[in-house]
């Protein structure tokens, strides 16, 4: 004969065992949506970076972008052009591939915080507003926080296989801090 407390806990334990693990809540639609977001946002950022680095897609290349950075008050305009170009290109490709997603998202967030600061927050809507940059920033932060989904290279990295909110939050915080440092050295 069992005590009433023992029999009452057996159904509760069975109910808890029947619940899916949080990572099992991911659906193919959820993962496909994250893949679409990663591809569009990541390739958009990689294209912006290639404008700065190589002058592709009508960009200014390192020297033209360097002149823009110098005029915007950053020291060493050419070095800033290389830094921004590499951050956008590598961060964008990382997002598109779902590779080191928290860090890739943080790189894009940091770059776009600087873009918003340079662009100014005088208006919200385009052509003189920040809506485009803000949308890209929010998308990159969301990907860093949620993880890339199942269709991503991170699935092959043991530490990132099961995304943790802490990884994303720390990465986004790092991106914000580094963006603030760059804004601090800006004249």
């Amino acid at each position: 004969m069992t005590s009433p407390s023992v029999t009452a806990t057996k159904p509760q334990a069975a109910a808890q065992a029947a619940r899916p693990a949080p990572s099992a809540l991911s659906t193919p639609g959820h993962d496909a949506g994250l893949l679409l977001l990663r591809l569009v946002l990541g390739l958009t950022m990689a294209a912006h970076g290639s404008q700065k680095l190589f002058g592709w897609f009508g960009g200014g290349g390192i020297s033209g972008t360097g002149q823009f950075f110098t005029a915007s008050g950053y020291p060493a305009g050419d070095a800033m052009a290389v830094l921004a170009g590499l951050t956008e290109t590598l961060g964008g490709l990382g997002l598109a591939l779902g590779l080191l997603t928290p860090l890739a998202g943080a790189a894009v967030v940091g770059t776009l915080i600087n873009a918003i600061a340079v662009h100014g927050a005088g208006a919200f809507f385009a052509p003189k507003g920040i809506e485009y940059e803000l949308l890209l920033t929010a998308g990159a932060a969301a990907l860093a926080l949620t993880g890339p989904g199942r269709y991503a290279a991170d699935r092959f990295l043991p530490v990132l296989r099961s995304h943790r909110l802490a990884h994303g939050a720390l990465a986004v915080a790092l991106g914000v801090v580094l963006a603030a440092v760059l804004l601090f050295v800006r004249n």
Side-chain angles (χ1 to χ4, degrees):
M1 181 164 170
T2 60
S3 72
S5 63
V6 172
T7 56
T9 58
K10 286 182 181 178
Q12 291 171 350
Q16 288 175 351
R19 284 188 204 138
S23 62
L25 295 176
S26 180
T27 65
H30 173 87
D31 294 321
L34 288 172
L35 174 63
L36 177 64
L37 178 60
R38 284 193 353 257
L39 287 172
V40 172
L41 198 151
L43 293 176
T44 298
M45 290 308 301
H48 276 283
S50 66
Q51 285 180 308
K52 292 172 179 63
L53 291 175
F54 312 115
W56 295 351
F57 310 114
I62 291 173
S63 94
T65 305
Q67 291 172 6
F68 169 78
F69 274 105
T70 300
S72 298
Y74 288 93
D78 287 353
M80 292 301 298
V82 170
L83 178 65
L86 286 173
T87 303
E88 290 178 5
T89 302
L90 297 177
L93 291 175
L95 284 178
L97 294 170
L99 179 63
L100 302 174
T101 304
L103 291 176
V108 171
V109 166
T111 299
L112 288 166
I113 287 172
N114 275 268
I116 289 170
V118 168
H119 200 261
F124 180 75
F125 294 105
K128 295 184 179 187
I130 60 166
E131 65 179 327
Y132 173 69
E133 292 88 352
L134 187 61
L135 182 62
L136 292 174
T137 305
L143 286 169
L145 294 171
T146 62
R150 279 188 279 194
Y151 311 129
D154 281 353
R155 300 281 292 171
F156 301 104
L157 300 176
V159 72
L160 295 175
R161 188 171 295 135
S162 63
H163 182 77
R164 292 177 178 84
L165 176 61
H167 292 150
L170 287 173
V172 170
L174 176 64
V176 170
V177 166
L178 292 175
V181 168
L182 284 177
L183 288 171
F184 183 71
V185 300
R186 182 176 168 229
N187 295 331

